Amino acid sequence: MVAFQNVGYGTDDQMAQHNFAAWLFDPQTTYNDFSVASLPFLEGGLESTFNNNIHYDYESLNSLSPMDHTNRHGDVPDDWMTESRRQDLLYWFQLFRKKQPRYDNLMPNLVQESGGDLPALNLDMIRDCLKEFWDNVSPRLPIVHQHTFSPNRCSIFLLLVMISLGAASLKSRDTTGQLTEYGAFADVIICSVRWEILTSDDSAPPAALWVAQALLLLEFYEKLYTTRRLHERAHIYHPAFLTLLRRGSPLIGRTGSESPGEPEDIRSDRPTPAPGMVLDSKTWWVRWAETESMHRVVFAAFMLDIIHAAMFGHSADMAAHEIRLPLPCDDNLWTASSPDVVRQLDANFRMYGVKQVSFLDGLKSALHGKEVKTHSFGRMIIISGLLSVGWHLSHRETHLKWLDLRGPSPETHDNWRKLLLKAFGSWKESFDIAMSDSVTDAPGHRPVPNGPINSASLLFHLAHISLHADIIDCQVYAGARRLLGRKVSTRDYTNAVKRMGTWAKQTSTRHAILHAFKLLYRVLVDPHPRRRNSPHPPDSPAVQYSLRNETDPHRPWIMYYSVLAIWAFVQAVGRPPGKGFPLRASQMTQSTYARMAEYLSGVAALQELDGTTVANLHEGLPELLETMEGILEEADTEILVEARDRLGVCKEMLLGGSR
């Protein structure tokens, strides 16, 4: 393993003793050895109201009589929305409509009034939206605890965001055309609700839990479910949201003290230090869920930050060392329907010696190729942390070049890159062994609550691609006229062409392109992961991928990114003179989709891209571009419509057209 001291940063550099990176790359130290004394005072308060120890009084609970037991937490959860709450929702919806009248023409049936009411927005419709949120949106951001959540008592603004996400998700998967107005309904709310959240008293640091949840869910909607304008708005407000989290210190645990204490744990059976604070079962459960929810907000924000930096070309504003929390609790605890079940599961975990893992210790272990024994969500957080380390190291070098300072040597660059790539591979192997019998990441299957990206293989391949293929350069090279809110000039395009020519010659680029093929093969050709040691090869692609079956809004854009990277590589390498796009006799009767599947299968099976393969990569590319264009014909969001149009331009350029 490459030790950090061999990576080659000088002692006069920022990577000095007691630096976070020095600790991270040293395989011998643990989180408790990491001193924060040399770090500057972090932006934020010293204490978080969401990181106090919450003690469970096991003895008093065990001694409860059956009658007491029922009285304490046998209530039926009030997850059934009332008419009074519906009227609250309608009040705000009508207020937002007045601010955004242009949307009325897009939802004439939903806003048709009768006796001062909106009959189409009835309780059944609102409940359907909320159910869709829990079933298909919440698994991507598992930050709201369903079994202690009350739609009648929560903040109205959090509820509005949740319902909007449910409505947008229903619309995106609708094949009947009956839910087309749901998108406009959601957009009306989303356009105006951010202001109401940010101006509420609870938004002052430390922000209330519901504020953090609502803002993160709101950003998720704006980035992936709606218009280009709102997508850009989410990018603009993202750093402000992270600053709000930092000012309340939910990232660093109970205190910002020099010596980090033991991770927050639900397993303490000591009496609570505050007099008279022994909690009954239901109250303890609610407080535990709030603490766990805030931890999950921090991790989900971190994951979105680095994932969107990788897939959209945004900047990553959050660093791994900022988070000093245990990984989220096991999913069985999170989804338990009562405090009794939580208590029983927790007792089982304690009996078998299962402990929560510190995020930083888990990240360090994964970086050095060791398995981190945690659940699916925890494992996805860990690879996001690895990707974050790689992103920041890569962009640190970019900044050093820009400032014309002495940067790391090429040997240093190769060492940390090899270490990271090896860590990615070890993580994926460990994930497959631990999770393959319980987790399926194929589109159309019920989502697993493991973070923003449902598929481990998708995130794994994205990590490899994004560290070697810049999506902004690829899009400029493909003739994009506007990116990141500004016009792309002729000079920008000319410079991108030069960079892509150099990029195409690098060995690391071939590595990224091979992973793009493997990613597309996994989604389009062999989406159903086989059990371990299964002897059966994948069937031919009889069922084609459809956006209407997709519950992960990241996957279509990541597929586009992969296709675009392949096209950019082929275009930059250039076709050998006289070579066109021939079809073999056996391909004459095949459909475009079948030829595309054969193209992906042949390359994805390789261990590395050799010169011969690279010289012939252009031959199946028109079918791949056409297939992806067809898939994106179902797209509703503006960024995916733009992606479809960009691929059309790529196909014209490949076949001999101009920019």
Side-chain angles (χ1 to χ4, degrees):
M1 198 61 67
V2 182
F4 178 75
Q5 54 265 31
N6 296 328
V7 172
Y9 290 95
T11 55
D12 59 334
D13 205 327
Q14 292 179 347
M15 295 301 209
Q17 190 178 11
H18 301 307
N19 180 273
F20 171 74
W23 170 83
L24 183 66
F25 280 89
D26 181 353
Q28 303 303 319
T29 55
T30 66
Y31 180 32
N32 289 328
D33 299 319
F34 176 46
S35 170
V36 300
S38 60
L39 293 179
F41 183 80
L42 293 177
E43 181 181 8
L46 288 178
E47 295 189 2
S48 166
T49 55
F50 289 95
N51 287 280
N52 299 318
N53 275 323
I54 299 178
H55 301 285
Y56 199 99
D57 187 354
Y58 284 102
E59 291 184 7
S60 63
L61 287 172
N62 290 335
S63 64
L64 288 175
S65 68
M67 183 62 70
D68 289 336
H69 184 80
T70 302
N71 289 341
R72 288 206 179 202
H73 53 82
D75 300 332
V76 177
D78 61 343
D79 56 358
W80 200 244
M81 194 177 303
T82 63
E83 175 60 29
S84 173
R85 194 56 159 172
R86 172 181 170 267
Q87 292 299 325
D88 293 340
L89 292 170
L90 290 185
Y91 167 80
W92 285 104
F93 176 69
Q94 296 282 44
L95 197 64
F96 295 160
R97 271 183 66 203
K98 293 177 182 177
K99 295 180 179 180
Q100 308 287 341
R102 66 183 183 277
Y103 285 104
D104 277 9
N105 292 334
L106 301 177
M107 48 178 182
N109 295 316
L110 290 182
V111 298
Q112 190 170 8
E113 296 193 17
S114 175
D117 195 6
L118 299 178
L121 302 181
N122 51 49
L123 277 174
D124 286 340
M125 178 267 189
I126 294 171
R127 288 168 181 162
D128 285 346
C129 292
L130 200 54
K131 182 179 185 302
E132 176 70 10
F133 172 85
W134 292 121
D135 290 347
N136 287 310
V137 180
S138 181
R140 299 289 57 78
L141 289 181
I143 61 175
V144 183
H145 190 248
Q146 184 173 4
H147 291 292
T148 57
F149 176 80
S150 168
N152 300 310
R153 294 199 303 267
C154 74
S155 162
I156 190 68
F157 303 127
L158 172 61
L159 185 60
L160 282 164
V161 174
M162 292 167 66
I163 289 171
S164 298
L165 274 163
S169 179
L170 282 171
K171 185 219 174 188
S172 71
R173 299 188 304 106
D174 175 43
T175 58
T176 66
Q178 297 177 1
L179 305 181
T180 55
E181 298 183 16
Y182 278 33
F185 164 76
D187 277 351
V188 166
I189 294 172
I190 294 298
C191 281
S192 298
V193 76
R194 182 183 286 276
W195 174 253
E196 302 299 334
I197 297 169
L198 292 175
T199 55
S200 71
D201 291 341
D202 288 339
S203 286
L209 172 61
W210 76 262
V211 170
Q213 291 169 324
L215 288 175
L216 189 61
L217 291 170
L218 179 64
E219 179 180 320
F220 187 64
Y221 181 101
E222 291 179 337
K223 279 280 184 77
L224 296 160
Y225 284 96
T226 186
T227 62
R228 165 61 68 179
R229 185 176 71 87
L230 288 177
H231 176 86
E232 299 292 350
R233 188 176 84 168
H235 185 203
I236 291 166
Y237 279 100
H238 173 70
F241 170 63
L242 295 184
T243 300
L244 185 61
L245 288 182
R246 292 183 181 108
R247 289 292 171 94
S249 294
L251 280 68
I252 62 175
R254 290 185 300 278
T255 68
S257 61
E258 178 177 333
S259 300
E262 290 298 315
E264 296 288 331
D265 204 330
I266 71 167
R267 292 185 272 278
S268 173
D269 56 1
R270 298 176 184 175
T272 180
M277 283 296 290
V278 174
L279 303 178
D280 66 80
S281 176
K282 185 67 177 290
T283 304
W284 169 86
W285 189 36
V286 170
R287 286 190 57 192
W288 169 80
E290 289 174 347
T291 301
E292 177 66 20
S293 296
M294 184 56 95
H295 288 185
R296 285 167 172 255
V297 167
V298 170
F299 283 116
F302 172 68
M303 294 174 80
L304 283 184
D305 180 65
I306 187 58
I307 287 170
H308 290 173
M311 62 187 274
F312 292 123
H314 298 166
S315 60
D317 296 302
M318 203 168 177
H321 70 78
E322 295 184 81
I323 304 174
R324 298 172 216 161
L325 297 172
L327 289 172
C329 71
D330 187 273
D331 194 51
N332 290 308
L333 286 170
W334 177 251
T335 57
S337 59
S338 73
D340 272 350
V341 177
V342 174
R343 182 172 61 124
Q344 183 60 52
L345 287 170
D346 177 53
N348 292 341
F349 288 143
R350 289 192 298 136
M351 182 173 65
Y352 287 103
V354 178
K355 297 180 179 179
Q356 278 188 293
V357 180
S358 155
F359 166 65
L360 289 181
D361 271 342
L363 177 61
K364 184 184 179 72
S365 295
L367 182 64
H368 295 284
K370 301 174 184 176
E371 180 180 10
V372 181
K373 293 185 178 179
T374 183
H375 48 97
S376 178
F377 187 26
R379 289 172 187 265
M380 298 291 270
I381 292 169
I382 291 297
I383 193 175
S384 298
L386 292 174
L387 176 57
S388 176
V389 170
W391 192 95
H392 284 286
L393 280 172
S394 177
H395 285 73
R396 175 182 181 275
E397 294 176 358
T398 301
H399 295 320
L400 284 174
K401 291 174 184 176
W402 174 255
L403 293 171
D404 197 29
L405 296 176
R406 178 182 58 83
S409 66
E411 183 182 357
T412 297
H413 185 278
D414 289 342
N415 281 344
W416 73 252
R417 193 178 294 277
K418 287 176 183 176
L419 187 64
L420 266 174
L421 296 183
K422 188 172 182 180
F424 286 149
S426 299
W427 176 89
K428 183 61 166 62
E429 183 179 350
S430 172
F431 188 99
D432 288 345
I433 292 173
M435 302 292 170
S436 61
D437 288 335
S438 60
V439 175
T440 179
D441 56 17
H445 285 253
R446 183 175 177 82
V448 177
N450 58 3
I453 291 181
N454 182 42
S455 164
S457 63
L458 197 72
L459 186 50
F460 169 72
H461 293 306
L462 173 65
H464 281 277
I465 296 166
S466 62
L467 291 181
H468 303 291
D470 188 296
I471 189 169
I472 300 297
D473 275 350
C474 288
Q475 291 188 100
V476 172
Y477 190 46
R481 304 293 182 181
R482 291 189 67 86
L483 282 175
L484 301 180
R486 73 175 182 87
K487 183 180 178 182
V488 177
S489 68
T490 302
R491 177 177 293 181
D492 291 329
Y493 176 73
T494 303
N495 292 338
V497 171
K498 292 178 181 177
R499 286 195 299 272
M500 299 307 278
T502 304
W503 169 77
K505 297 173 184 176
Q506 296 172 353
T507 304
S508 59
T509 301
R510 293 189 181 188
H511 176 86
I513 299 308
L514 181 59
H515 275 277
F517 273 97
K518 290 179 181 292
L519 184 152
L520 292 166
Y521 171 80
R522 181 62 180 269
V523 177
L524 296 174
V525 183
D526 185 22
H528 302 284
R530 300 179 299 285
R531 300 297 186 194
R532 295 193 301 274
N533 304 320
S534 172
H536 303 292
D539 297 328
S540 59
V543 179
Q544 299 186 9
Y545 175 92
S546 170
L547 292 185
R548 299 303 178 203
N549 295 325
E550 183 58 83
T551 55
D552 181 353
H554 291 94
R555 186 161 12 212
W557 181 268
I558 294 173
M559 291 163 63
Y560 159 69
Y561 179 9
S562 301
V563 173
L564 187 67
I566 293 171
W567 169 86
F569 178 69
V570 171
Q571 190 76 359
V573 168
R575 293 200 304 273
K579 282 208 171 185
F581 304 91
L583 289 180
R584 297 188 302 275
S586 60
Q587 294 178 311
M588 295 296 186
T589 58
Q590 289 181 318
S591 66
T592 299
Y593 199 88
R595 293 198 299 272
M596 175 278 304
E598 184 178 330
Y599 173 61
L600 291 180
S601 301
V603 180
L606 300 175
Q607 295 301 311
E608 62 180 28
L609 287 182
D610 54 55
T612 303
T613 303
V614 168
N616 295 312
L617 277 184
H618 66 282
E619 292 184 2
L621 188 50
E623 284 81 6
L624 177 60
L625 290 166
E626 186 175 335
T627 298
M628 196 63 206
E629 261 194 289
I631 287 171
L632 294 176
E633 285 291 338
E634 294 181 325
D636 294 320
T637 63
E638 285 187 2
I639 62 169
L640 288 181
V641 172
E642 292 171 7
R644 182 195 67 207
D645 294 342
R646 184 58 40 215
L647 291 180
V649 173
C650 290
K651 189 167 65 174
E652 290 179 11
M653 294 172 70
L654 180 71
L655 298 176
S658 59
R659 178 184 176 219

